[in-house]
């Protein structure tokens, strides 16, 4: 019978050498499946006391905006805030971080009409320090934007300190420095740079410098050049040790990266410094180093430029191979069948982390993917109703059931919201009619009767859009609402209205009204609305909440339709749903002769039906591609066009090559295009990561333009609800949350033991009243299973962390700075 280790068959080998080799191979295969996934969520709240900037802008006319950069690559921008030194931005952001980075930076810029926008200041936080600020708001002092501190990238060095014998027989040393390559150098004016490196041996009274060749148009240059430096002071063998320590202590290898500007001054890209003393004689030191800013950059006083209030949550998940998470997922997915539900693993997770909002989301996603959400949420809703004494307070609290349903609606109902609300929200934001009805807040010249008519008109449009949208309501939401309606009638049989309030408390109060209030948070608008429009949306949202609680005939009919047992024909989303749009650089489709400009700005727009590009937003489409004709969506090698962040859409004709504005945009386009086309017939199994030019594919040198691809396509997971859910990542998130709350798990376990297991003296009730423990023995059993699973997962993490090489490409050394 074969033995199993971490889900793999262990071969029955006799020779120790073969077993060791097999174990090493298995470890390498395992490590290859480990993924480091990063995400950032937060809010740019406000700035205060912004300092003056150089240029024609006067202080009182300061119009500012904020940007977010990963190293030096901008990935997010707020809208411009008019004429204030204390602007309130109020911009939420969330994105997956698709690449390694050193520093997260927030810049405040003053908008300029006639010249480049002028930097007011920045907040830079090293990746390793992000955990200090996670989940809470902080005021950060703005610092000067110094070109010598704007660096990113890493350099691969190979160094050796060797002993040499001179012609006169004395002993000396020389140092060899080989610059192998660099990765992730910044773009210069949106284009790849022309980098070169200088290498110096620096110390007291010396600075020998050598220079590599310039590499053209690349952010990942391969230099493969070696330089030699002599340690000029010679010494005899008898005194070698003492003199070596004295000399080596003062010497450093300094590597600087520059962009060659030809006629203009070269641009500094970063540096790293390596103390020579770390090199052992005749030992090759080979490692990756992060590039650092120049150490002598001037820093301004923190009060000169103002400050910025931010809320940040950075999450980094080390996702192990799938087999590692099987026990945890199995235990969590059994939760709907556990009696009572409070003894289940999923309920325990929500119970011990009830004050942390982000806890529920990974559990909901895992249950959704495995079709276990409806039975679980029905069970926790029934438990909540057992403790609800009055029908008019049904599902009004922030309970596990309400949080689960909230997250489910945001995931499943994204397109539903867009179809139902986006047209009317766009009209409200663009027409900008005044709707203020509070006498205290009226401006001079406002007519309260006209404002009231405006508000009534908007509310009628929003309410009608909602009550006429039942055919577009996702089936899973209907299943949940039907269950809630049944449970409410069972709990309060004498109240004929409770069946409607159980559903309206979610669909009106927690779904549509919230989306109206914050359309940017639900991807209905790209930015937070202006204060006046925000006030209008607040008034509409409050009115919708009131109407949601009122028993109108149209509302009841709508609630009946989205929660009844009658099967409804879906409308098929009659209107096209815009999934993503934005400005990109598009390569011409073979219509331009060689030598002419082949990349042009275009507005790319994706709906659930078609992908189109336009000369400008709102213009007629230059070209339209039916989504059903998309056969693959893949990244393009940087070397193909000497451009970063490129992807290709392979369809029935020539591939469409697109360059996104930054790495986050490229990742989002790839995700949404893959998601909308992954069920298409005729999807390709292979693709070409480069382009076809000069009669051959540059990746594999195949001569035929119709040659099959040379690289496997990215596998796509066919999930229910058309959701792109990474179950391994969700399981890792749950493991991290459980580990962070290990003390509470132990307290709950002790409470169960006190109640039932040890039969000893019981603890005071307040020691376990914070937990929901209906059946102590069953709950204790689940807790022990969780504990064993967590210990094994922690062991798996530790075994992989132990072999993570410091100085590798994924874990580079933070070099010394001056």
């Amino acid at each position: 019978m074969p033995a199993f280790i971490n889900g793999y068959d262990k071969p029955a080998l006799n020779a120790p050498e073969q077993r060791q080799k097999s174990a090493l191979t298995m470890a390498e295969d395992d490590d290859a499946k480990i993924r480091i996934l990063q995400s950032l969520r937060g809010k740019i709240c406000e700035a205060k006391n912004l300092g003056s900037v150089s240029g024609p802008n006067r202080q009182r006319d300061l119009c500012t905006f904020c940007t977010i950069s990963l190293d030096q690559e901008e990935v997010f921008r707020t809208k411009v805030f008019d004429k204030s030194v204390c602007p309130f931005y109020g911009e939420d952001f969330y994105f997956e971080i698709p690449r390694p980075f050193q520093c997260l930076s927030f810049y405040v810029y003053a908008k300029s009409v006639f010249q480049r926008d002028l930097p007011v200041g920045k907040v830079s936080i090293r990746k390793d320090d992000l955990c200090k600020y996670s989940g809470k708001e902080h005021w950060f002092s703005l610092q000067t934007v110094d070109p010598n501190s704007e660096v990113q990238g890493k350099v691969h060095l190979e160094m050796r300190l060797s002993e040499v014998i001179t012609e006169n027989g004395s002993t000396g040393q020389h140092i060899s420095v080989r610059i192998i390559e660099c990765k992730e150098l910044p773009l210069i004016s949106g284009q790849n740079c022309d980098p070169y490196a200088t290498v110096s041996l620096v110390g007291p009274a010396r600075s020998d410098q050598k220079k590599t060749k310039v590499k053209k148009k690349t952010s990942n240059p391969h230099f493969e050049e070696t330089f030699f430096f002599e340690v000029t002071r010679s010494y005899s063998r008898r005194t070698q040790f003492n003199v070596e320590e004295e000399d080596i202590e003062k010497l450093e290898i300094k590597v600087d990266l520059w962009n060659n500007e030809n006629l203009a001054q070269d641009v500094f890209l970063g540096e790293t410094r390596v103390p020579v003393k770390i090199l052992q004689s005749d030992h090759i030191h080979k490692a990756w180093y992060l590039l650092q800013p120049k150490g002598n950059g001037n820093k301004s006083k923190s009060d000169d430029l103002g400050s910025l209030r931010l809320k940040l949550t950075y999450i980094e998940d080390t996702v192990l191979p799938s087999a590692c998470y099987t026990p945890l997922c199995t235990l969590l997915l059994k939760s709907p069948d556990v009696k009572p539900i409070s003894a289940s693993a999923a309920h325990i997770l929500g119970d011990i982390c009830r004050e942390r909002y982000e806890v529920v989301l990974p559990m909901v996603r895992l249950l959704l993917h495995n079709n276990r959400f409806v039975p679980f949420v029905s069970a926790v809703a029934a438990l909540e109703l057992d403790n609800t004494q009055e029908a008019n307070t049904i599902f009004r609290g922030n309970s596990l059931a309400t949080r689960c349903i909230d997250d489910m609606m945001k995931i499943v109902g994204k397109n539903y919201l867009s179809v139902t609300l986006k047209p009317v929200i766009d009209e409200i934001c663009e027409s900008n009619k005044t709707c203020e009805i509070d006498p205290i807040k009226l401006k001079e010249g406002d007519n309260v009767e006209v404002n009231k008519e405006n508000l009534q008109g908007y509310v009628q449009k929003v309410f009608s859009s909602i009550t006429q949208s039942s055919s577009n309501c996702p089936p899973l939401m209907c299943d949940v609402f039907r269950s809630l309606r049944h449970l409410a009638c069972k709990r309060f049989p004498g109240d004929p209205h409770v069946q409607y309030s159980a559903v309206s408390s979610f669909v009106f109060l927690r779904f549509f009204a919230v989306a109206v209030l914050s359309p940017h948070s639900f991807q209905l608008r790209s930015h937070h609305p202006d204060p006046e429009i925000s006030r209008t949306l607040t008034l509409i949202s409050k009115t919708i909440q009131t109407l949601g609680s009122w028993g109108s005939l149209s509302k009841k009919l709508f609630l009946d339709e989205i929660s009844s047992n009658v099967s409804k024909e879906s409308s098929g989303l009659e209107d096209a749903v815009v999934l993503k749009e934005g400005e990109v650089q598009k390569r011409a489709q073979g219509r331009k002769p060689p030598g002419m400009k082949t990349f042009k700005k275009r507005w790319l727009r994706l709906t659930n039906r078609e992908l189109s590009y336009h000369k400008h937003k709102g213009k007629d489409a230059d070209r339209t591609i039916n989504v059903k004709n998309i056969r693959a969506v893949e990244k393009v090698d940087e070397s193909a066009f000497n451009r970063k962040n490129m992807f290709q859409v392979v369809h029935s004709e020539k591939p469409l090559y697109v360059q996104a504005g930054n790495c986050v945009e490229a990742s989002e386009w790839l995700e949404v295009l893959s998601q909308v086309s992954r069920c298409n017939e005729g999807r390709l199994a292979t693709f070409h990561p480069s382009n076809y030019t000069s009669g051959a594919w540059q990746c594999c040198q195949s001569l035929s333009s119709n040659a099959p691809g040379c690289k496997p396509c990215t596998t796509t997971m066919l999930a229910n609800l058309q959701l792109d859910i990474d179950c391994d990542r969700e399981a890792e998130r749950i493991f991290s949350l459980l580990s962070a709350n290990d003390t509470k798990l132990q307290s709950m376990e002790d409470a169960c033991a006190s109640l039932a297991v040890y039969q000893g003296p019981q603890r005071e009730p307040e020691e376990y009243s914070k937990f929901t423990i209906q059946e102590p023995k069953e709950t204790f059993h689940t807790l022990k299973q969780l504990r064993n699973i967590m210990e094994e997962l922690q062991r798996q993490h530790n075994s992989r962390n132990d072999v993570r090489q410091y100085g590798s490409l994924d874990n580079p050394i933070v070099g010394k700075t001056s």
Side-chain angles (χ1 to χ4, degrees):
M1 180 177 179
F4 290 90
I5 296 179
N6 302 335
Y8 294 89
D9 290 338
K10 180 182 178 182
L13 299 176
N14 296 321
E17 293 83 0
Q18 288 180 305
R19 286 197 298 269
Q20 184 178 7
K21 183 177 180 180
S22 177
L24 287 172
T25 303
M26 185 183 298
E28 290 172 0
D29 290 344
D30 249 10
D31 289 337
K33 298 176 184 175
I34 294 174
R35 296 174 292 148
I36 308 296
L37 302 179
Q38 311 167 96
S39 64
L40 184 71
R41 181 186 302 277
K43 186 172 188 175
I44 302 176
C45 304
E46 61 179 316
K48 66 179 180 182
N49 303 325
L50 293 180
S52 59
V53 296
S54 59
N57 299 68
R58 292 176 295 174
Q59 182 88 358
R60 61 186 178 85
D61 293 333
L62 195 66
C63 298
T64 62
F65 63 92
C66 286
T67 66
I68 303 176
S69 290
L70 296 173
D71 298 322
Q72 296 309 302
E73 183 178 18
E74 182 183 316
V75 296
F76 179 85
R77 177 178 291 212
T78 71
K79 65 179 183 179
V80 178
F81 197 96
D82 289 341
K83 300 181 181 179
S84 174
V85 295
C86 296
F88 182 84
Y89 299 109
E91 293 262 10
D92 298 305
F93 58 86
Y94 172 81
F95 50 84
E96 297 288 324
I97 301 176
R99 63 167 178 81
F101 72 102
Q102 301 178 43
C103 194
L104 176 71
S105 299
F106 297 81
Y107 292 82
V108 178
Y109 284 95
K111 186 69 178 175
S112 178
V113 177
F114 301 108
Q115 61 180 18
R116 293 179 62 181
D117 299 327
L118 302 172
V120 177
K122 70 173 182 177
V123 173
S124 288
I125 307 171
R126 294 199 65 83
K127 176 184 173 181
D128 295 341
D129 295 329
L130 283 171
C131 60
K132 299 177 184 177
Y133 309 106
S134 187
K136 296 182 180 179
E137 291 184 1
H138 294 269
W139 281 101
F140 295 88
S141 297
L142 293 175
Q143 302 295 331
T144 301
V145 178
D146 177 8
N148 286 333
S149 69
E150 308 292 285
V151 304
Q152 71 178 65
K154 60 193 80 169
V155 59
H156 196 193
L157 303 177
E158 181 179 295
M159 296 164 285
R160 183 173 184 174
L161 178 65
S162 303
E163 187 177 274
V164 295
I165 299 177
T166 63
E167 292 180 356
N168 61 10
S170 61
T171 302
Q173 290 176 308
H174 75 208
I175 298 167
S176 65
V177 180
R178 179 170 168 243
I179 300 186
I180 303 171
E181 62 177 317
C182 291
K183 294 283 189 184
E184 301 160 12
L185 295 179
L187 299 176
I188 303 295
S189 301
Q191 301 296 322
N192 283 331
C193 55
D194 296 334
Y196 69 90
T198 59
V199 187
S200 309
L201 180 63
V202 296
R206 68 177 294 166
S207 181
D208 304 334
Q209 186 178 91
K210 304 178 189 295
K211 178 181 173 182
T212 69
K213 295 178 181 178
V214 175
K215 300 296 180 179
K216 292 290 186 180
K217 303 300 179 188
T218 178
S219 297
N220 300 306
H222 286 259
F223 294 108
E224 299 290 352
E225 295 190 43
T226 304
F227 303 99
F228 296 93
F229 300 91
E230 291 188 6
V231 178
T232 56
R233 183 173 178 180
S234 61
Y235 46 88
S236 66
R237 287 182 180 275
R238 288 181 300 174
T239 60
Q240 173 186 348
F241 181 81
N242 292 333
V243 178
E244 179 186 348
E245 284 294 310
E246 180 184 352
D247 285 348
I248 299 303
E249 188 74 30
K250 300 174 183 178
L251 296 177
E252 290 180 333
I253 299 164
K254 179 170 172 282
V255 178
D256 293 84
L257 271 295
W258 300 85
N259 180 57
N260 182 44
E261 291 286 334
N262 293 322
L263 299 178
Q265 183 177 357
D266 292 348
V267 176
F268 174 76
L269 300 179
E271 71 171 33
T272 192
R273 293 168 176 256
V274 183
V276 175
K277 66 182 179 181
I278 72 169
L279 305 180
Q280 299 176 4
S281 294
D282 298 319
H283 173 73
I284 296 176
H285 175 79
K286 190 174 182 179
W288 284 90
Y289 283 83
L290 287 174
L291 294 175
Q292 301 292 306
K294 282 188 178 178
N296 58 354
N298 295 322
K299 293 185 178 180
S300 67
K301 294 181 181 179
S302 59
D303 294 332
D304 290 346
L305 304 176
S307 53
L308 189 64
R309 182 163 62 94
L310 304 170
K311 184 177 181 180
L312 307 172
T313 300
Y314 168 75
I315 295 175
E316 180 177 296
D317 295 317
T318 302
V319 182
L320 304 175
S322 294
C324 298
Y325 298 108
T326 300
L328 179 59
C329 291
T330 300
L331 186 63
L332 286 164
L333 295 175
K334 284 181 180 177
S335 295
D337 303 322
V338 175
K339 307 295 183 186
I341 192 65
S342 61
S344 69
H347 193 282
I348 288 171
L349 173 66
D351 209 15
I352 64 169
C353 308
R354 63 179 66 183
E355 73 282 359
R356 297 187 61 175
Y357 176 78
E358 74 273 15
V359 167
V360 171
L361 182 58
M363 183 173 70
V364 167
R365 291 173 70 86
L366 200 62
L367 292 166
L368 281 173
H369 178 74
N370 291 277
N371 291 321
R372 301 290 283 158
F373 180 79
V374 176
F376 175 75
V377 82
S378 298
V380 294
L383 177 60
E384 180 178 339
L385 285 172
D386 287 342
N387 297 313
T388 302
Q389 303 304 317
E390 297 182 11
N392 59 1
T393 63
I394 190 169
F395 299 128
R396 294 301 174 95
N398 189 27
S399 64
L400 179 59
T402 57
R403 287 189 294 165
C404 284
I405 297 172
D406 283 349
D407 279 339
M408 177 275 296
M409 292 191 297
K410 288 177 183 177
I411 296 168
V412 177
K414 186 182 295 185
N415 286 351
Y416 179 34
L417 271 181
S418 182
V419 170
T420 306
L421 289 184
K422 190 170 185 356
V424 66
I425 292 293
D426 286 343
E427 180 186 342
I428 292 168
C429 293
E430 290 161 12
S431 61
N432 197 17
K433 294 179 182 178
T434 304
C435 297
E436 186 56 70
I437 56 175
D438 186 342
I440 299 176
K441 296 184 178 181
L442 288 173
K443 296 179 181 178
E444 186 177 352
D446 281 351
N447 185 316
V448 69
E449 293 301 321
V450 172
N451 292 357
K452 189 181 295 184
E453 288 181 11
N454 292 338
L455 179 60
Q456 287 175 338
Y458 283 152
V459 168
Q460 183 59 46
K461 286 186 177 182
V462 172
F463 192 72
S464 296
S465 295
I466 294 171
T467 55
Q468 295 171 14
S469 70
S470 60
S471 61
N472 290 328
C473 187
L476 188 132
M477 287 178 63
C478 295
D479 291 343
V480 171
F481 295 151
R482 183 163 58 249
S483 177
L484 296 177
R485 184 174 179 177
H486 170 73
L487 291 169
C489 290
K490 184 178 178 181
R491 176 67 180 87
F492 298 102
D495 189 332
H497 300 291
V498 72
Q499 59 176 317
Y500 295 112
S501 59
V503 178
S504 65
S505 63
F506 286 102
V507 73
F508 279 101
L509 276 63
R510 293 177 175 268
F511 188 57
F512 285 118
V514 178
V516 170
L517 183 65
S518 301
H520 62 299
S521 299
F522 290 81
Q523 291 80 52
L524 298 176
R525 297 287 293 180
S526 57
H527 291 293
H528 188 77
D530 294 329
E532 188 170 333
I533 296 174
S534 183
R535 172 62 178 165
T536 297
L537 294 175
T538 299
L539 293 171
I540 296 171
S541 177
K542 289 181 176 179
T543 309
I544 293 299
Q545 290 182 49
T546 302
L547 292 174
S549 302
W550 178 61
S552 69
L553 181 62
S554 61
K555 190 200 81 169
K556 285 186 176 181
L557 179 61
F558 166 68
L559 295 176
D560 272 330
E561 290 173 341
I562 64 172
S563 61
S564 68
N565 290 313
V566 179
S567 297
K568 303 182 296 298
E569 287 291 329
S570 171
S571 68
L573 300 182
E574 295 285 335
D575 298 321
V577 180
V578 178
L579 303 177
K580 186 171 176 63
E581 57 183 337
E583 191 173 80
V584 299
Q585 294 276 346
K586 184 197 72 69
R587 184 174 185 260
Q589 296 286 284
R591 291 191 293 269
K592 298 280 186 180
M596 295 187 68
K597 186 176 180 182
T598 56
F599 280 88
K600 291 187 176 181
K601 285 185 180 179
R602 288 294 182 263
W603 188 262
L604 194 64
R605 186 174 188 263
L606 175 67
T607 72
N608 56 315
R609 294 178 178 178
E610 60 190 26
L611 176 68
S612 58
Y613 53 85
H614 316 246
K615 286 187 178 178
H616 302 286
K617 183 180 181 180
K619 297 288 185 181
D620 292 339
D622 290 355
R623 178 75 187 282
T624 297
I625 300 169
N626 194 314
V627 163
K628 293 181 179 180
N629 293 334
I630 296 176
R631 304 178 68 191
V633 184
E634 298 290 343
K635 293 181 180 179
V636 178
D637 286 349
E638 181 185 328
S639 59
F641 302 102
N642 285 323
R643 289 172 177 251
K644 280 187 171 183
N645 306 319
M646 285 203 63
F647 61 92
Q648 58 181 308
V649 181
V650 184
H651 55 108
S652 52
E653 300 178 27
K654 291 183 179 181
L656 173 66
Y657 294 107
V658 178
Q659 182 186 26
N662 55 62
C663 63
V664 171
E665 279 289 307
S667 178
E668 290 177 353
W669 275 113
L670 280 164
E671 180 180 358
V672 69
L673 281 164
S674 298
Q675 184 174 336
V676 77
S677 65
R678 64 185 169 189
C679 295
N680 288 353
E681 295 181 3
R683 281 189 64 91
L684 299 178
T686 58
F687 76 104
H688 291 285
S690 192
N691 62 326
Y692 184 83
T693 184
S694 301
W697 286 100
Q698 298 306 299
C699 43
C700 59
Q701 301 306 311
S702 295
L703 300 180
S704 171
S705 61
N706 297 319
C710 56
K711 186 176 181 180
C713 285
T714 306
T715 55
T716 55
M717 176 181 60
L718 297 177
N720 292 328
L721 312 166
Q722 292 293 297
L723 300 177
D724 189 12
I725 294 176
D726 184 340
C727 291
D728 294 342
R729 186 181 194 180
E730 306 306 335
E732 173 60 30
R733 279 272 78 225
I734 291 169
F735 165 67
S736 298
L737 292 162
L738 287 168
S739 298
N741 288 273
D742 185 70
T743 303
K744 291 185 178 179
L745 273 176
Q746 186 61 56
S747 297
M748 192 175 192
E749 194 173 320
D750 292 343
C752 291
S754 175
L755 285 166
V757 178
Y758 299 132
Q759 300 298 325
Q762 292 193 355
R763 296 167 177 250
E764 292 298 319
E766 60 267 18
E767 293 191 33
Y768 50 79
S769 60
K770 65 183 84 171
F771 305 117
T772 306
I773 304 175
Q774 294 174 289
E775 291 289 341
K777 289 185 178 180
E778 188 68 29
T779 306
F780 185 84
H781 177 65
T782 304
L783 286 164
K784 293 301 289 184
Q785 289 179 288
L786 272 176
R787 177 79 62 191
N788 293 336
I789 290 170
M790 289 169 61
E791 289 175 356
E792 175 59 21
L793 271 171
Q794 189 60 57
R795 189 190 67 78
Q796 297 276 3
H797 276 283
N798 292 341
S799 67
R800 287 166 172 83
N801 290 337
D802 290 343
V803 299
R804 192 180 182 200
Q805 182 186 354
Y806 188 46
S808 64
L809 178 61
D810 295 327
N811 190 25
I813 298 170
V814 180
K816 178 185 175 184
T817 57
S818 60

